Amino acid sequence: MGLSRLAALHGVATSYSPSPDVTVSVPDDTVIAVLAALGVDAGTPADVRKCLAAAESRSRLLPPTVVVWAGEPLPSALAGLPPGSTVTVEPEPSDSSGHPAGRPPAPLSMRARAAGPAPGAPAGSPAPGSPAPGSPAADAPGTAPGETAETAEGVVPPRGDEAAAPAPPAWWIPPPHGVHRIHVRTPDNRRATATLVAAPPRVPQPPERTHGFLVQLYSLLSARSWGMGDLGDLTDLAVWAGRSVGSGFVQVNPLHAAVPGKPTDPSPYRPSSRRFPDPVHLHVESIPEYGHVRDRATLDDLRQDAAALSEAVLNKGALIDRDAVWELKRQALELVVRVPLTPGRRADYCDFLAEQGQALEDHALWCALAEVHGPDWHTWPEALRDPRSPGTARARSELLDRVDFHCRLAWLTAGQLAAAQRAAEDAGMGVGIVHDLAVGVHPAGADTWSQQEAFAHGMSVGAPPDAFNARGQDWGLPPWRPDVLAATGYAAYRGLLRGLLAHAGALRIDHVMGLFRLWWVPEGRPPTDGTYVAYDAEAMLAVLVLEAHRARTAVVGEDLGTVAPGVREALARRGVLGTSVLWFERDWEGDGRPLAPEKWRRDCLATATTHDLPSTAARLTGDHVTLRHRLGLLTRSLEEELTEDATDTAEWLALLARLRMLPEGDGDEEAAVRAVHRFLRRTPARMTGVWLPDTVGDRRPQNLPGTWDQYPNWRLPIADPEGHPVTLEEITASPRLHALMEVLRPRKPHTAPPGERRP
């Protein structure tokens, strides 16, 4: 009983429900290991009693981080303060609140002292000294991005009707949107200080109902690629899609920095750092200094080698070789960075360094140290394992040139990301580039080295057993410690979001349920022995909404799989769009049949497939079942699997036929793919995503969950139905693509001739 209570106080589950009628107990050993990763010693009953007594005796006036939503009731931590308490809010002086370091807050008077409504004033009237409606102070939540306020102070009035009001009480002076420090002093002189996140109520929404493409960027090779798709190819795709087929967005895989190695982990969902992009995505020839490199002979040789890499992938059946691509690009970039920057470019680079601050310096130093000591910092000399040690400081000085090289690459990559988004907007896209946030990072990478205190070492994120995987999943990603996030005002999370959103039209969050809870698996144990650890979803959402509001970007959450009750509703309330995949949209609470289009949710990205699922052509033909059979992944006979799959597909095709979306009749694969997308367009979904390989009939998934070396995950170029790779130029000229995109074009309303009235 004591262990369960202690676990509950730290957000650690002691049981979970894989289905409504089933409850599974978590092994005590798992609970003890997870608590230890959170800094709580529960190894013996005596330890449990000691920690429990200490935890229950602590009385905090405020939690480490407090959230207030514009126009909504105050949280209980503030609404429940003793009458007469003094509350002071001041903006943080550093760039952690979203303002450039060294820039003083813009003045905005918000001073007030309120002891309650004036005698005889109606209930709900402003307290003496509080801002009048319509005044700058009262309108503070609408302050333009970048503005802050000077210190605001108020006094909690006596309890009254105001405390139960549906809006903030009159004594509360709303601070502008941002991250601040809040100080409380009670009448008996108790004091507390916390981080205050003041957030708008919702993230921005896409400007209109729209469609776009989903693509794994590395798989999109053009005639000019260096062996894999790059930011030049992304820009070309976005400009073509916006201008030629009226698309509103292009969604890409995570472009996070990878852990170098031989071979490098090809998964974009297990990066070294989520804060900074990987320079392997650079289009080298677009760098302004490229044209001024003196050693043209070496550059020409590198370009020829790059062309040979592309030729091998496109025409000889080779897989995409990220390591070979990076080796060529690295050599070219070594030459490019020797070219002196122009004064304007130098000023821009210096601004970038100042904006990114310590985070960029740490990331670049990790890259430099990895070149010398290998990519796993756990094996480095002991003095270098601590980013703040004297030995690391000496290494920083000794490797200054390499640190600058990696800082320069981060700047160049950020510049091309910004250019891609500008080009997408100029091409008429209402959203532009949708970037992807992976759920975690590699345990040996830059983020875990530079932010060691923020991660739960010895733990891995995964998924519990379910109907699709009885053994559960271990993704090999160390989780963030929720207690450290809260204590630091979510600084690491805020910086991560700010970096990703800087050049995005929208952000997709992989496994968005991780904002609420994550399945932690202790090292050395099977995923079945894991448990859920809760995060402060209110704070995680508030920071997300705040940063998206500042960047004016929409947010899409990947909410597929096991979703706890209330999660989708909480996300929808804050304007976070969900993800709906056609084959999973059934009336699960009714007859289980395919869900009619009008019953789909509006606030979602609707797609036929994703990078982890079969292509639409493979789903329609059953090819995905035979692929899994060849790899020995089926748990039943091939005949049983094919029969069940064919039944599922037939139900959907029958619905499409009843809705007259399949005029060509059964048996025409291309027509069926078009019908599937007609159906998606018929739903009220705000965004409709088209998997780019679907436009040319590709049969192969980009990633096959449950495989490692049995299948070439993350290394396949987009291909035609026969498996022959196709280039960006061939894709955009494909008759099959243009026929498919016709079904997604919005129909222009009929315009009656002059003098004729419309019926």
Side-chain angles (χ1 to χ4, degrees):
M1 193 66 182
L3 181 62
S4 296
R5 174 62 180 159
L6 184 63
L9 289 174
H10 291 87
V12 180
T14 54
S15 65
Y16 67 98
S17 298
S19 59
D21 56 343
V22 176
T23 299
V24 178
S25 295
V26 176
D28 285 353
D29 286 351
T30 295
V31 176
I32 292 170
V34 170
L35 285 171
L38 292 170
V40 179
D41 184 1
T44 67
D47 292 329
V48 171
R49 289 192 296 271
K50 179 180 178 181
C51 290
L52 190 57
E56 291 180 333
S57 66
R58 282 195 297 267
S59 177
R60 294 187 63 100
L61 191 58
L62 290 178
T65 296
V66 179
V67 171
V68 293
W69 299 96
E72 297 184 15
L74 291 183
S76 59
L78 295 179
L81 288 172
S85 297
T86 299
V87 180
T88 305
V89 177
E90 60 180 357
E92 286 191 336
S94 71
D95 64 351
S96 60
S97 62
H99 311 292
R103 177 182 174 184
L108 176 62
S109 178
M110 289 177 54
R111 292 189 177 276
R113 282 187 172 273
S125 298
S130 64
S135 69
D139 292 340
T143 302
E147 292 185 0
T148 61
E150 64 180 30
T151 300
E153 187 173 280
V155 177
V156 180
R159 296 278 188 264
D161 294 340
E162 190 179 50
W171 65 265
W172 174 252
I173 306 170
H177 302 323
V179 178
H180 315 289
R181 297 296 287 172
I182 183 168
H183 308 276
V184 171
R185 186 179 73 250
T186 65
D188 60 358
N189 211 33
R190 287 185 297 151
R191 298 170 183 266
T193 296
T195 298
L196 176 70
V197 181
R202 287 167 60 84
V203 301
Q205 299 297 291
E208 58 186 10
R209 192 161 180 257
T210 187
H211 65 79
F213 292 108
L214 320 177
V215 63
Q216 298 282 293
L217 181 56
Y218 59 83
S219 71
L220 182 68
L221 280 74
S222 70
R224 67 180 189 177
S225 299
W226 285 41
M228 62 181 278
D230 59 35
L231 291 172
D233 299 319
L234 175 60
T235 302
D236 274 355
L237 175 65
V239 171
W240 168 83
R243 296 192 185 281
S244 299
V245 294
S247 295
F249 65 91
V250 174
Q251 177 183 300
V252 295
N253 56 284
L255 303 182
H256 309 320
V259 176
K262 293 191 181 298
T264 296
D265 187 338
S267 173
Y269 291 91
R270 202 163 181 252
S272 169
S273 173
R274 296 187 292 173
R275 174 74 181 266
F276 296 101
D278 199 310
V280 76
H281 301 297
L282 281 167
H283 181 243
V284 179
E285 293 95 324
S286 293
I287 300 171
E289 289 74 38
Y290 178 87
H292 300 281
V293 172
R294 293 184 177 181
D295 189 354
R296 307 309 299 181
T298 299
L299 278 185
D300 290 343
D301 289 343
L302 292 171
R303 291 180 63 182
Q304 289 181 11
D305 291 344
L309 281 180
S310 292
E311 168 71 14
V313 171
L314 295 172
N315 297 314
K316 298 179 180 178
L319 298 175
I320 292 170
D321 187 341
R322 183 192 184 103
D323 295 324
V325 173
W326 173 238
E327 180 58 28
L328 294 178
K329 288 193 176 183
R330 183 194 60 77
Q331 293 181 52
L333 292 167
E334 298 276 6
L335 298 175
V336 169
V337 300
R338 294 176 191 170
V339 177
L341 296 173
T342 64
R345 294 271 289 166
R346 169 62 63 181
D348 187 67
Y349 179 45
C350 290
D351 285 348
F352 179 79
L353 293 175
E355 289 165 4
Q356 301 302 319
Q358 186 71 52
L360 175 59
E361 188 175 334
D362 286 344
H363 174 72
L365 178 57
W366 181 91
C367 293
L369 288 169
E371 292 175 336
V372 178
H373 301 287
D376 185 351
W377 61 267
H378 299 91
T379 66
W380 292 355
E382 188 171 353
L384 300 179
R385 297 175 199 170
D386 178 357
R388 305 291 170 250
S389 74
T392 301
R394 286 193 298 272
R396 192 184 307 265
S397 186
E398 294 165 358
L399 297 172
L400 192 59
D401 286 347
R402 298 309 297 170
V403 171
D404 182 67
F405 174 71
H406 292 289
C407 286
R408 184 85 69 92
L409 298 192
W411 170 62
L412 293 173
T413 311
Q416 290 196 5
L417 288 169
Q421 176 62 17
R422 287 195 301 270
E425 293 173 346
D426 291 345
M429 285 191 163
V431 176
I433 309 302
V434 181
H435 287 279
D436 198 350
L437 172 60
V439 70
V441 294
H442 196 287
D447 282 1
T448 59
W449 176 73
S450 62
Q451 303 169 15
Q452 294 177 38
E453 69 287 346
F455 288 93
H457 300 283
M459 294 289 145
S460 177
V461 174
D466 57 27
F468 300 99
N469 194 325
R471 293 175 294 181
Q473 300 176 57
D474 183 344
W475 301 332
L477 309 168
W480 264 336
R481 284 181 53 166
D483 57 329
V484 174
L485 285 177
T488 56
Y490 295 83
Y493 178 49
R494 286 149 50 197
L496 166 61
L497 290 174
R498 193 168 308 127
L500 280 173
L501 292 169
H503 310 303
L507 179 67
R508 173 191 181 270
I509 300 180
D510 191 44
H511 193 71
V512 72
M513 296 82 76
L515 300 181
F516 296 76
R517 66 180 186 177
L518 283 171
W519 184 258
W520 286 24
V521 181
E523 185 176 351
R525 300 176 186 265
T528 50
D529 285 356
T531 189
Y532 280 113
V533 175
Y535 291 76
D536 185 344
E538 194 81 352
M540 298 288 276
L541 282 173
V543 172
L544 174 63
V545 171
L546 174 63
E547 295 300 336
H549 173 78
R550 283 172 168 162
R552 299 181 176 87
T553 57
V555 178
V556 178
E558 184 269 294
D559 56 353
L560 304 174
T562 302
V563 183
V567 167
R568 288 196 174 104
E569 293 77 7
L571 292 169
R573 182 185 180 194
R574 298 305 169 196
V576 178
L577 305 183
T579 300
S580 294
V581 178
L582 181 129
W583 310 101
F584 303 152
E585 292 296 313
R586 289 177 171 268
D587 183 7
W588 298 113
E589 297 181 0
D591 58 13
R593 294 186 179 278
L595 200 63
E598 65 273 10
K599 294 185 178 180
W600 283 43
R601 53 181 169 171
R602 176 175 180 266
D603 295 327
C604 74
L605 166 65
T607 72
T609 190
T610 72
H611 59 269
D612 281 334
L613 296 172
S615 70
T616 305
R619 173 79 69 168
L620 291 168
T621 58
D623 281 5
H624 68 110
V625 178
T626 56
L627 171 62
R628 294 181 66 83
H629 172 67
R630 288 199 306 272
L631 297 175
L633 300 176
L634 298 184
T635 57
R636 298 181 297 173
S637 71
L638 175 61
E639 292 72 21
E640 288 178 293
E641 295 279 356
L642 285 173
T643 298
E644 181 177 292
D645 184 70
T647 301
D648 181 85
T649 302
E651 283 190 314
W652 279 102
L653 291 175
L655 175 59
L656 297 175
R658 287 198 303 274
L659 295 174
R660 299 182 179 179
M661 294 181 180
L662 191 53
E664 300 87 348
D666 208 358
D668 186 332
E669 177 194 308
E670 288 190 45
V673 173
R674 291 195 295 271
V676 163
H677 288 85
R678 282 193 188 97
F679 181 96
L680 293 176
R681 196 60 173 167
R682 180 80 64 88
T683 73
R686 296 183 67 97
M687 299 173 72
T688 302
V690 180
W691 179 235
L692 190 61
D694 273 351
T695 66
V696 289
D698 198 344
R699 295 284 202 275
R700 308 171 304 176
Q702 281 294 315
N703 178 52
L704 190 57
T707 63
W708 178 245
D709 56 0
Q710 307 100 309
Y711 187 79
N713 295 318
W714 318 113
R715 290 172 288 172
L716 292 172
I718 298 174
D720 65 17
E722 287 72 42
H724 300 138
V726 289
T727 63
L728 170 60
E729 293 83 0
E730 292 168 330
I731 293 170
T732 57
S734 167
R736 179 167 178 157
L737 177 146
H738 285 276
L740 174 58
M741 297 312 294
E742 276 298 314
V743 309
L744 295 173
R745 287 181 181 274
R747 302 300 176 193
K748 293 182 179 180
H750 170 72
T751 302
E756 179 183 328
R757 296 181 61 187
R758 295 184 62 185

